Amino acid sequence: MNASALLLQPQDYSLLTDLYQLTMAACYVGEGLEQRSASFELFARRLPEGFGYLVAMGLEQALDYLEQFCFTSEQIAALQATNIFANAPSRFWELLAESRFSGDVWAVPEGTIVFADEPLLRVEAPLWQAQMVETYLLNALNYQTLIATRAARLRDVVGDEAALLEFGTRRAFSPQASLWAARAAIAGGLNATSNVLAALQLGQTPSGTMAHSLVMALSALEGSEEQAFTAFHRYFPGAALLIDTYDTIAAAQKLADRVKAGEIQVNAIRLDSGDLVTLSQQVRQLLPHTLIFASGDLDEYEILRLQSAGAEIDGYGLGTKLVTGAPVNGVYKLVEIDGIPVMKASSGKVTYPGRKQVFRRYQNGVLEADRLALSTEPPQPHETPLLQPVFKQGKRLY
Amino acid sequence: MNASALLLQPQDYSLLTDLYQLTMAACYVGEGLEQRSASFELFARRLPEGFGYLVAMGLEQALDYLEQFCFTSEQIAALQATNIFANAPSRFWELLAESRFSGDVWAVPEGTIVFADEPLLRVEAPLWQAQMVETYLLNALNYQTLIATRAARLRDVVGDEAALLEFGTRRAFSPQASLWAARAAIAGGLNATSNVLAALQLGQTPSGTMAHSLVMALSALEGSEEQAFTAFHRYFPGAALLIDTYDTIAAAQKLADRVKAGEIQVNAIRLDSGDLVTLSQQVRQLLPHTLIFASGDLDEYEILRLQSAGAEIDGYGLGTKLVTGAPVNGVYKLVEIDGIPVMKASSGKVTYPGRKQVFRRYQNGVLEADRLALSTEPPQPHETPLLQPVFKQGKRLY
């Protein structure tokens, strides 16, 4: 396997799908039904544990995918070589060879708050196309929506002033996951990411402090933790200092002495272990003009606990519990075929038939109520329809 | 942002890092310490909840990264434009421009069982290089190790005969995550993946059944669920039929009648909802020669529950709970610098100093004991050292 294997190029997009999308498409072709007009809606039946809302995110990548959708002759040959399609109609291969996404898409704008059962997106396209794009659309929207929602929940908890930094790259589920997480986290309310590539791709400035390894290496080679801090400030004046490598309070005490002596300026420190409540309070007393950052398996629940216990923390690094964990379980369901509303009746997974719209009503700028209705129903007074056209006959509208 | 933004090309590898790796490297250069020999070890302090072991995975992608490691002049210019490095020594940029990974790497082979605190990998390299590669190495090994371990646990539970299929792409945390998950799942013990791109990249045949949408669309357009099944079998004879769209037992009963009448052959069916214990038993009675596949938020615990409750299931589709959830929290820690063993003493995060080896002893083919020792210690009788050289002076050994 060469070095680029298991990376993803834009031309790979169309094969990033479950096999059954292709076999079902072949069946539709064989039955002569592939061009029938189909509508699928993407929504979450239930929100993740404890979540009251979702922040829709990932539409940009979803639309990138639809724009690029096509099959190369090499890809078609690779599919044929599997022998899975030995009995598929030859017209299926012609369809793939000439394929472009030619449908309409309606979606809520990125950043929109949505609730359970409310469509984030609806695809109206020839049946085989609408079917085939399911896997990638879910992949694109499920993860970024999760991260943007968590980011919004974190911002809710800490208020406007506190810094929230995305530090999750090492724990993200693949390099690309770290890029998508950084994008969605910033869109959802975080201030910055430590991921250099993500920050540069997003037009942001990356953020970061220092690691224990620098303190350990320079302590060993130059003699002390103090010298490590001084050395780092030579090249990054004012950079946050990580003070918990050996003894947090001893480190803070020494820094306080040096601040008093005018030897160093300590704009910010980071705590990454121990009892963050007590430590942050003690550091605040020793270094009253220093910003205190905390990290280490933090999430909105732990931050709430720290706040209510009186921790003195000005900023948070979010990693593992921001970028991993339980997902948004979005699904993509057929709601109408050839003008016929359809539904499934599976136990616990019943769907609502027909093409739908979410009508949202605000009262004094506050969301008062949503009404999930058929898309053909007119809005009532003071209602705004959330789903907007983003693709029209295969052409991206924004 | 163009369509390829937030995708990852091999030349992006080096910027897929936390900012502090670059600022620390600049500091090492300024202090004249960047070429000092440093050893970092990658290990997990604690295993995920309920796990008794890890299956090391992801080394191939980690080594791909080290082989590709370099900075282009465009990347260097982009870093300079951030102004973060305004006080960094100019020698830092020269170092980046000429950078190649020139160190040694020791690692346990992919598929090796490891326990808490046992290094999966050790990097011995000039300090700045060993520091810089931390983020990507953790990203590569943490996720694939998680998935391979879950796959092994699933295989343990179901035994050698049952089919285990990876269906997680729609819930994976980015497209690339779905590729890495498929690779690690198959390496860890699953039979196949539904992800077409992953299967083709891995030289495997993709696997799959059918979705509710096909049953709904063909029921609406051709008249009945029965016709949907018949249509699908025209192009994919013997393919597994999804029978829970409307009424699982009614569907199984009709299929049983048609089997008796010689009208259809039902090799396999899939259940995706409802009480899988009762439903699978009833389907087994109706269709005694049909393989029964189950899916729907399954994991090793739920499968154990199904088995002990007497479910009649021959194969499982694993999605959400295989590819998302709590991570392996691998860390990468400096253990020696310039011949000096080092450790951190942070509360709850103390590390063991010095370069280490894992000596494993087998008794009659069964793992009897591991001994975590300094790498300079000789093996005792019947012990095998787990960490093997995989990179020597910047050259990949396999």
Side-chain angles (χ1 to χ4, degrees):
Chain A
M1 197 176 303
N2 66 37
S4 65
L6 300 188
L7 287 173
L8 197 72
Q9 316 297 334
Q11 65 270 25
D12 295 328
Y13 272 169
S14 52
L15 289 184
L16 203 293
T17 191
D18 292 296
L19 175 66
Y20 73 14
Q21 314 290 8
L22 288 159
T23 56
M24 291 191 289
C27 175
Y28 298 146
V29 173
E31 298 295 291
L33 303 174
E34 77 278 8
Q35 302 297 345
R36 299 296 177 96
S37 173
S39 295
F40 283 78
E41 288 177 353
L42 192 155
F43 60 96
R45 288 193 190 95
R46 283 172 293 278
L47 304 188
E49 178 89 23
F51 282 29
Y53 60 88
L54 295 177
V55 177
M57 196 59 59
L59 182 62
E60 184 166 357
Q61 281 66 42
L63 300 186
D64 285 350
Y65 162 76
L66 293 175
E67 264 191 315
Q68 297 266 336
F69 185 78
C70 70
F71 288 85
T72 66
S73 50
E74 292 76 18
Q75 291 172 328
I76 291 172
L79 291 172
Q80 290 170 331
T82 64
N83 271 327
I84 293 169
F85 300 89
N87 296 292
S90 61
R91 167 92 190 100
F92 173 61
W93 304 114
E94 295 162 25
L95 201 68
L96 289 192
E98 65 203 29
S99 63
R100 292 286 179 278
F101 179 76
S102 64
D104 297 350
V105 181
W106 294 68
V108 305
E110 290 195 303
T112 302
I113 298 288
V114 293
F115 302 99
D117 286 324
E118 294 184 343
L120 282 71
L121 174 140
R122 181 174 65 249
V123 172
E124 303 181 2
L127 175 57
W128 78 276
Q129 292 178 19
Q131 180 74 68
M132 198 94 92
V133 300
E134 171 179 26
T135 307
Y136 195 99
L137 294 181
L138 283 169
N139 182 291
L141 290 169
N142 276 334
Y143 185 50
Q144 289 200 51
T145 296
L146 172 70
I147 300 302
T149 307
R150 289 210 189 121
R153 289 163 56 84
L154 285 159
R155 179 55 70 195
D156 274 352
V157 164
V158 302
D160 290 343
E161 295 302 312
L164 291 172
L165 306 174
E166 192 279 302
F167 287 171
T169 301
R170 66 193 55 199
R171 299 280 162 72
F173 288 174
S174 82
Q176 194 184 25
S178 75
L179 301 181
W180 286 25
R183 175 182 190 269
I186 291 173
L190 266 64
N191 297 90
T193 176
S194 64
N195 185 310
V196 178
L197 182 62
L200 295 178
Q201 286 195 357
L202 295 166
Q204 306 266 331
T205 301
S207 175
T209 62
M210 61 165 58
H212 297 104
S213 52
L214 179 130
V215 178
M216 293 156 76
L218 269 61
S219 296
L221 297 173
E222 300 192 337
S224 75
E225 189 179 33
E226 284 307 292
Q227 286 167 293
F229 294 155
T230 302
F232 198 64
H233 270 187
R234 265 196 276 280
Y235 315 103
F236 302 97
L241 302 173
L242 177 62
I243 65 170
D244 74 333
T245 306
Y246 305 113
D247 181 327
T248 303
I249 298 307
Q253 181 65 62
K254 278 190 201 148
L255 285 173
D257 294 344
R258 292 177 65 202
V259 167
K260 282 204 191 89
E263 292 170 21
I264 193 170
Q265 193 181 329
V266 184
N267 296 344
I269 62 94
R270 176 162 72 100
L271 304 173
D272 186 51
S273 61
D275 173 359
L276 295 176
V277 175
T278 312
L279 291 174
S280 66
Q281 290 169 341
Q282 292 177 302
V283 171
R284 178 71 86 219
Q285 287 205 308
L286 290 166
L287 295 161
H289 306 298
T290 295
L291 292 173
I292 300 175
F293 288 84
S295 58
D297 268 353
L298 299 179
D299 61 13
E300 60 270 40
Y301 298 102
E302 178 63 8
I303 291 175
L304 265 177
R305 190 192 69 75
L306 291 170
Q307 287 179 330
S308 61
E312 296 276 353
I313 298 173
D314 306 294
Y316 302 88
L318 290 313
T320 307
K321 291 194 173 166
L322 174 61
V323 305
T324 74
V328 166
N329 284 327
V331 296
Y332 177 88
K333 293 296 165 190
L334 181 67
V335 296
E336 191 177 295
I337 175 74
D338 219 12
I340 309 166
V342 296
M343 63 186 291
K344 59 186 270 200
S346 312
S347 172
K349 297 183 177 179
V350 174
T351 56
Y352 297 119
R355 286 180 288 162
K356 290 172 283 296
Q357 177 60 276
V358 182
F359 293 103
R360 177 157 293 176
R361 197 171 67 226
Y362 290 94
Q363 182 88 349
N364 302 323
V366 175
L367 197 167
E368 194 183 47
D370 278 0
R371 189 166 59 89
L372 183 62
L374 289 174
S375 63
T376 47
E377 297 182 32
Q380 295 177 358
H382 311 296
E383 281 186 347
T384 307
L386 295 188
L387 289 153
Q388 302 293 332
V390 293
F391 246 83
K392 190 73 189 167
Q393 295 184 319
K395 201 170 151 6
R396 188 169 177 166
L397 299 181
Y398 91 102
Chain B
M1 198 176 302
N2 66 37
S4 65
L6 300 187
L7 287 173
L8 197 72
Q9 316 298 333
Q11 65 271 25
D12 295 327
Y13 272 170
S14 52
L15 290 184
L16 203 292
T17 191
D18 293 295
L19 175 66
Y20 73 13
Q21 313 290 8
L22 288 159
T23 56
M24 291 191 289
C27 175
Y28 298 147
V29 173
E31 299 295 291
L33 303 173
E34 78 277 9
Q35 302 297 345
R36 299 296 177 95
S37 173
S39 295
F40 283 77
E41 288 177 354
L42 192 155
F43 60 96
R45 288 192 188 96
R46 283 172 292 279
L47 304 187
E49 178 88 23
F51 282 29
Y53 60 88
L54 295 177
V55 177
M57 197 58 60
L59 182 62
E60 184 166 357
Q61 282 65 42
L63 300 185
D64 285 350
Y65 161 76
L66 293 176
E67 264 191 316
Q68 297 266 337
F69 184 77
C70 70
F71 288 85
T72 65
S73 51
E74 292 76 19
Q75 291 171 329
I76 291 172
L79 291 173
Q80 290 171 330
T82 64
N83 271 327
I84 293 169
F85 299 89
N87 296 292
S90 61
R91 168 93 189 99
F92 173 61
W93 304 114
E94 294 162 25
L95 201 69
L96 290 192
E98 66 203 28
S99 63
R100 292 286 179 278
F101 178 76
S102 64
D104 297 351
V105 181
W106 294 68
V108 305
E110 290 195 304
T112 303
I113 298 287
V114 293
F115 302 100
D117 286 324
E118 294 184 344
L120 282 70
L121 174 141
R122 180 174 65 249
V123 172
E124 303 180 2
L127 175 57
W128 78 276
Q129 292 178 20
Q131 180 74 68
M132 199 94 92
V133 300
E134 171 179 25
T135 306
Y136 195 99
L137 294 181
L138 284 169
N139 183 291
L141 290 169
N142 276 334
Y143 185 51
Q144 289 201 50
T145 296
L146 172 71
I147 300 301
T149 306
R150 288 209 188 123
R153 289 163 56 84
L154 285 159
R155 179 54 71 196
D156 273 352
V157 164
V158 302
D160 290 343
E161 295 302 312
L164 291 172
L165 306 174
E166 191 279 303
F167 287 171
T169 301
R170 66 193 56 199
R171 299 280 162 72
F173 288 174
S174 81
Q176 194 185 24
S178 75
L179 301 181
W180 286 25
R183 175 182 190 270
I186 291 173
L190 266 62
N191 297 90
T193 177
S194 64
N195 185 310
V196 178
L197 182 62
L200 295 178
Q201 286 195 355
L202 295 165
Q204 306 265 330
T205 301
S207 175
T209 62
M210 60 165 58
H212 297 105
S213 52
L214 180 130
V215 178
M216 292 155 76
L218 269 62
S219 295
L221 297 173
E222 300 192 338
S224 75
E225 188 178 34
E226 284 308 291
Q227 287 168 293
F229 294 154
T230 302
F232 199 64
H233 271 187
R234 265 196 277 279
Y235 315 103
F236 303 95
L241 302 173
L242 177 62
I243 65 170
D244 74 334
T245 306
Y246 305 114
D247 181 327
T248 303
I249 298 307
Q253 181 64 63
K254 278 190 201 149
L255 285 173
D257 295 344
R258 292 176 64 201
V259 168
K260 282 205 191 89
E263 292 170 21
I264 193 170
Q265 194 181 330
V266 184
N267 296 344
I269 61 94
R270 176 162 73 100
L271 304 173
D272 186 50
S273 60
D275 173 359
L276 295 176
V277 175
T278 312
L279 291 175
S280 66
Q281 290 169 340
Q282 292 177 303
V283 171
R284 178 71 86 219
Q285 287 205 309
L286 291 166
L287 295 162
H289 307 298
T290 295
L291 292 173
I292 299 175
F293 288 84
S295 58
D297 268 353
L298 299 179
D299 61 13
E300 59 270 40
Y301 299 102
E302 178 63 8
I303 290 175
L304 265 177
R305 190 191 69 76
L306 291 170
Q307 287 179 329
S308 62
E312 295 276 352
I313 298 173
D314 306 294
Y316 302 88
L318 291 313
T320 307
K321 291 194 173 166
L322 174 61
V323 305
T324 73
V328 167
N329 283 327
V331 296
Y332 177 87
K333 293 296 165 189
L334 181 68
V335 295
E336 192 177 294
I337 176 75
D338 220 12
I340 310 166
V342 296
M343 63 187 290
K344 59 186 269 199
S346 312
S347 171
K349 296 183 177 179
V350 174
T351 56
Y352 296 119
R355 285 180 288 161
K356 290 172 283 296
Q357 177 60 276
V358 182
F359 293 104
R360 177 157 294 176
R361 197 170 68 226
Y362 290 94
Q363 181 89 350
N364 303 323
V366 175
L367 196 167
E368 194 183 47
D370 278 0
R371 188 167 59 88
L372 183 62
L374 289 174
S375 63
T376 48
E377 296 183 32
Q380 295 177 358
H382 311 295
E383 282 185 346
T384 307
L386 295 188
L387 289 153
Q388 302 293 331
V390 293
F391 246 83
K392 189 74 188 166
Q393 295 184 319
K395 201 169 150 9
R396 188 170 177 164
L397 299 180
Y398 91 101

